[in-house]
Amino acid sequence: MEKQRRMWTNLVLVISVVLLAVIPLILIQDSEFAGADGQAEEAIQEIAPTYEPWFESLIELPGGETETLFFSVQAAIGAGVIGYAIGFYRGRVKGRGEKKT
Amino acid sequence: MNKLFWLKGLLLVGFTLYFTFATPQEVHAMHIMEGFLPVGWAITWWVLFLPFFILGLRSLRRVIQENPEVKLLVALVGAFSFVLSALKIPSVTGSSSHPTGTGLGAIVFGPWVMTVLGSMVLLFQALLLAHGGLTTLGANAFSMAVVGPAVAYGVYRLMMRISDKQGFAVFLAAALANLTTYVVTSLQLALAFPAEAGGVLASFVKFASIFAITQVPLAISEGLLTVLVLNLIQSYNQKELRLLHFGKKGTK
């Protein structure tokens, strides 16, 4: 019972997160949802038009595709570690249960 | 039951307020870009950040020395922040931003362990993704890896003291950590770029009003995801959590 309740809670949580991301996409049609930091730059330029960035990124990524790749890699590594850890813990709990019975 | 009820109620109220007041507006709530803090401020934030980083290293070493078993759990909370930082999620303002994922580790290990892990995430993004930057790392780490986790830890402790609704406490802690992170970012930008009319305060209002709105749904997402992952950890891993004296008080 407890286990089932937890599962439902988790399901509701996941669905809520997905909805939170999808609803803006549906509601706002005329936006690119740009993730670029360009517009933050604009806000700064507006306040301090004379400001010049004094340091450049060491790496200039060639384009959006490469950036996407790196972000995917980052997410994949993280997700892998989380999956491994929770799988490990789960297996340990199960293994213990089997020994007992 | 209660936990779910709270979450649902909060979501409903949040959504209603949110979609009523949020107007599409394009700006970005993310880390401060490379070179976009004047030298003086960049150094100032580095100096303010470093003591916490050292505190974090010691805290991390102590945690692992006392209970070597928790290493995997450290990796897990670090990975959580790693994943969430990579997810640029669309928001109602018509732009995207990402959660920080620092709440989970702060709740489980205390705030300063997360300072180390959060800084590593930022370093990775600054070096490989040209996202954020090395000169602004001090400032970004201060907001995301120092203030964020500290808020998460404080809120969680406080909520657990006044109620025993752990799910809600975790949600609120993680969500507020996320929001505060960007409030601090706004403050940092405002300090460095005071408006001609109105000074720091006017700048702060400008940055913060935009950042806060973009960040609200992401803060909610982050809260929900943190509850989810902590649920999973608690289902399968009572042992390490007990070693850490986690949930000593009034938790189930």
Side-chain angles (χ1 to χ4, degrees):
Chain A
M1 235 14 223
E2 168 67 21
K3 210 172 162 188
Q4 214 167 24
R5 200 174 63 86
R6 251 178 213 264
M7 227 180 73
W8 276 109
T9 314
N10 290 348
L11 199 66
V12 170
L13 289 172
V14 171
I15 292 171
S16 312
V17 171
V18 172
L19 282 180
L20 271 171
V22 171
I23 288 173
L25 283 179
I26 296 169
L27 284 187
I28 304 169
Q29 298 289 356
D30 56 346
S31 170
E32 287 176 25
F33 290 96
D37 307 345
Q39 272 142 332
E41 288 180 31
E42 275 170 32
I44 292 174
Q45 302 284 342
E46 221 173 89
I47 297 173
T50 53
Y51 184 77
E52 289 285 328
W54 55 283
F55 197 85
E56 292 284 310
S57 291
L58 296 179
I59 287 191
E60 277 300 324
L61 294 179
E65 303 301 330
T66 322
E67 197 184 329
T68 310
L69 169 73
F70 275 115
F71 272 102
S72 316
V73 169
Q74 186 184 343
I77 293 172
V81 172
I82 293 176
Y84 173 82
I86 289 180
F88 175 85
Y89 291 140
R90 185 160 187 269
R92 198 178 59 182
V93 169
K94 281 210 158 167
R96 225 181 271 143
E98 273 160 24
K99 253 183 226 161
K100 256 183 229 161
T101 47
Chain B
M1 233 2 114
N2 248 332
K3 193 162 49 171
L4 213 66
F5 174 79
W6 268 104
L7 278 178
K8 275 185 194 157
L10 197 82
L11 269 181
L12 197 72
V13 174
F15 267 130
T16 315
L17 284 177
Y18 192 67
F19 288 118
T20 318
F21 292 114
T23 43
Q25 195 174 19
E26 298 227 12
V27 170
H28 299 275
M30 266 186 262
H31 308 302
I32 303 173
M33 298 126 312
E34 186 74 285
F36 263 84
L37 276 185
V39 187
W41 281 111
I43 294 171
T44 306
W45 290 112
W46 264 105
V47 169
L48 286 173
F49 158 66
L50 278 176
F52 289 99
F53 187 73
I54 292 163
L55 206 65
L57 283 179
R58 293 168 98 182
S59 175
L60 188 60
R61 197 186 309 142
R62 197 177 53 237
V63 164
I64 289 175
Q65 262 173 0
E66 279 172 13
N67 307 295
E69 302 96 308
V70 302
K71 263 185 220 154
L72 189 57
L73 201 56
V74 172
L76 197 160
V77 298
F80 183 69
S81 181
F82 209 57
V83 176
L84 289 204
S85 298
L87 300 179
K88 293 186 185 171
I89 301 173
S91 174
V92 258
T93 48
S95 58
S96 306
S97 182
H98 60 77
T100 60
T102 53
L104 179 71
I107 290 167
V108 175
F109 288 107
W112 313 132
V113 167
M114 227 36 231
T115 303
V116 178
L117 299 176
S119 317
M120 277 157 57
V121 174
L122 284 170
L123 185 67
F124 175 90
Q125 292 198 321
L127 284 179
L128 292 180
L129 298 174
H131 181 64
L134 289 178
T135 59
T136 52
L137 186 68
N140 289 329
F142 192 84
S143 62
M144 178 179 136
V146 175
V147 177
V151 167
Y153 185 75
V155 169
Y156 179 73
R157 281 286 135 131
L158 189 73
M159 289 302 292
M160 290 308 283
R161 194 164 295 168
I162 57 182
S163 80
D164 64 343
K165 296 185 181 65
Q166 198 201 13
F168 185 61
V170 171
F171 170 81
L172 206 64
L176 287 179
N178 181 306
L179 271 183
T180 329
T181 296
Y182 287 95
V183 170
V184 173
T185 303
S186 311
L187 187 66
Q188 289 168 332
L189 284 172
L191 284 170
F193 299 100
E196 236 155 68
V200 173
L201 192 69
S203 274
F204 176 67
V205 171
K206 183 188 169 88
F207 284 117
S209 61
I210 303 158
F211 284 0
I213 295 173
T214 306
Q215 211 58 31
V216 167
L218 297 176
I220 296 174
S221 294
E222 166 146 16
L224 297 175
L225 285 170
T226 306
V227 173
L228 174 72
V229 172
L230 199 62
N231 267 351
L232 290 175
I233 298 176
Q234 280 186 313
S235 301
Y236 302 119
N237 190 9
Q238 289 300 332
K239 190 181 141 210
E240 272 92 346
L241 289 180
R242 222 173 289 135
L243 285 176
L244 293 164
H245 308 292
F246 178 75
K248 204 165 30 173
K249 236 174 154 188
T251 49
K252 293 159 230 168

